[in-house]
Amino acid sequence: MKVNEKNLELLERYIDHLIARNKSPKTIKTFKSIIGKFIRFLGEKSVYEATSWDVDSFLANVRKNGYQEKSLYTVAVAVKRFLEYVGAKKALEGFEYPRRPKELPKYLTREEVEKLIKAAEYEKDKRIALRNKLIVLLLYTTGMRVGELVRIKCDDIDFVGMSIRIFGKGSKEREVFFNKETKEVLQKYIESMRLKGDNYLFPGDNSLHIHYVTVERIIRRLARKAGFKKRVTPHILRHSFATFALSRGMDVREIQELLGHASLKTTQVYTHVSRKRLLKDYMRIWED
C-alpha cells in the first residue's frame, strides 16, 4: 500500500515539536509508532481529507488486532494531538475519546520489595548487585519515575539533606528524599564506581547514562529471580511508594509533591488503594 509522503513529513514535524517541548523519549517513541500506523492506515489519503470516520475505523482496527482498553485510549490521545497540531479540523469534527478504563494502581508490599532487593544481592558481579539494589531502593523510597532515575547526576544528590534534585515531565524540577538504608547503599555505590560531579549516577556502556528500557529489564529479571508470577515494572515501585506512604499516614498533598503530579486528582487514586488494603486488614482480624 502506498503512503502519502506529505503525511510522513507532517509526522516528522510533529516529532520535532515533541522533542522541542522536551517530551520524554518513551512518549516520543510511542506517539511516533502510533501515528505512523495511522498514516499507513490512511494510505494515499491526506490527513486533511480524513474524517472522524477514518479515525474511528483506525481505532476499531487496532482494537480488533488485540489492543486493550488502556492502550486504545493512548492511541486515541496520540492521534488526536497529532491532528490538532497539523490543523486537520475535518478529522476532529465529532471526535470522541474511547472509554478510559478505571484501574487501581498495582503495587508491591514492603515484604515483596524486600524480596526484590534480596534478588539483587545474589548477583555474581558485586558491582552489578550493588547497582541493581540501588535502583530498586531509589525507585521505591523516592517514588521517582524511571526516566528521572536514569538522568540523576552526582551533583544532584545532597547527602546531608538526604535528598535528590530531579527533573520531571516538562523539565519541572523537584526534590525527593531517601531513607538511611538508601543513603548507605548510594554512598557505597558512588565510591565503588568512583563517580563525582556531573557524572551520571548510572552511566551506560555506550551512552552517557543507561536507558530506561535497561532499568525495566533489570526489574523484570529481579522479579523472576524473586519468584514473582505477576508483572513487575519500575512504575509499580513508584505506585508501591505512594501506597506505603499513604498507609503510614503521609498527607496526600505531600505525596503529590514528591511524585510530581500536576493534579491532586491523579494522586487521590491511591486513597482507593489504601481503602482496599484497609478492608483486607479489617477482615483479617476476624479470621480464626
Side-chain angles (χ1 to χ4, degrees):
M1 179 187 288
K2 289 185 178 180
V3 177
N4 189 303
E5 292 296 327
K6 289 186 177 179
N7 288 347
L8 293 174
E9 289 175 14
L10 290 172
L11 171 57
E12 290 305 317
R13 288 187 187 179
Y14 180 60
I15 295 304
D16 285 344
H17 167 75
L18 295 180
I19 293 170
R21 296 299 177 278
N22 205 25
K23 298 297 181 182
S24 74
K26 192 172 184 179
T27 297
I28 293 169
K29 183 180 178 182
T30 301
F31 275 35
K32 186 172 184 178
S33 173
I34 290 168
I35 298 163
K37 288 176 183 176
F38 177 60
I39 287 171
R40 289 192 293 276
F41 181 80
L42 291 177
E44 295 184 65
K45 181 185 283 189
S46 166
V47 293
Y48 298 110
E49 296 172 349
T51 66
S52 59
W53 288 2
D54 290 308
V55 177
D56 284 346
S57 294
F58 174 66
L59 293 176
N61 182 263
V62 296
R63 186 73 173 95
K64 289 172 186 174
N65 283 318
Y67 275 57
Q68 300 301 311
E69 287 183 350
K70 188 177 180 181
S71 299
L72 188 67
Y73 185 83
T74 303
V75 170
V77 169
V79 171
K80 184 173 186 286
R81 289 184 183 173
F82 169 66
L83 294 172
E84 286 173 338
Y85 175 76
V86 300
K89 296 178 181 179
K90 192 176 178 182
L92 292 169
E93 290 174 5
F95 178 93
E96 289 183 19
Y97 280 117
R99 184 183 65 182
R100 189 175 191 176
K102 293 182 180 179
E103 293 182 348
L104 291 178
K106 296 179 178 63
Y107 64 93
L108 300 180
T109 64
R110 185 86 182 265
E111 295 70 28
E112 287 175 323
V113 175
E114 287 296 333
K115 286 183 180 179
L116 272 187
I117 294 169
K118 287 290 182 186
E121 290 174 347
Y122 286 119
E123 293 279 359
K124 291 180 180 178
D125 187 320
K126 296 302 179 184
R127 291 174 75 178
I128 294 295
L130 194 58
R131 182 200 66 179
N132 292 354
K133 182 178 180 178
L134 180 59
I135 284 172
V136 175
L137 282 170
L138 283 174
L139 289 170
Y140 179 61
T141 64
T142 69
M144 68 175 71
R145 301 176 179 92
V146 64
E148 297 164 346
L149 174 86
V150 299
R151 293 197 300 272
I152 295 172
K153 291 184 177 180
C154 293
D155 282 341
D156 298 327
I157 303 166
D158 177 2
F159 283 104
V160 176
M162 294 177 71
S163 65
I164 304 173
R165 179 184 59 175
I166 58 176
F167 299 91
K169 291 183 176 180
S171 288
K172 290 180 182 176
E173 184 179 330
R174 75 179 189 281
E175 188 179 42
V176 296
F177 304 98
F178 49 85
N179 63 9
K180 290 180 180 178
E181 180 186 5
T182 306
K183 179 180 179 179
E184 289 173 7
V185 176
L186 191 52
Q187 288 176 320
K188 192 175 178 181
Y189 169 79
I190 288 175
E191 196 175 295
S192 70
M193 294 291 288
R194 298 179 181 176
L195 299 172
K196 58 183 178 180
D198 64 351
N199 290 155
Y200 280 100
L201 184 61
F202 299 109
D205 292 330
N206 301 306
S207 57
L208 292 174
H209 60 74
I210 60 173
H211 199 271
Y212 70 86
V213 174
T214 303
V215 178
E216 289 173 348
R217 287 173 183 157
I218 289 168
I219 298 300
R220 280 201 305 268
R221 188 164 56 80
L222 292 179
R224 286 196 299 270
K225 285 179 68 176
F228 293 131
K229 300 298 180 185
K230 58 188 173 184
R231 185 168 177 261
V232 181
T233 66
H235 213 67
I236 284 177
L237 286 170
R238 176 172 160 86
H239 292 323
S240 304
F241 159 75
T243 306
F244 177 71
L246 195 65
S247 73
R248 287 300 182 98
M250 183 174 276
D251 185 80
V252 69
R253 290 188 182 277
E254 293 176 324
I255 297 171
Q256 176 194 1
E257 186 176 335
L258 291 173
L259 293 177
H261 284 160
S263 168
L264 182 62
K265 188 178 179 181
T266 309
T267 317
Q268 283 175 330
V269 69
Y270 295 105
T271 62
H272 299 296
V273 176
S274 186
R275 288 192 195 103
K276 187 177 177 183
R277 186 172 177 174
L278 179 63
L279 175 61
K280 282 184 179 178
D281 290 342
Y282 172 80
M283 289 302 182
R284 196 182 301 125
I285 70 172
W286 301 105
E287 293 174 0
D288 293 329

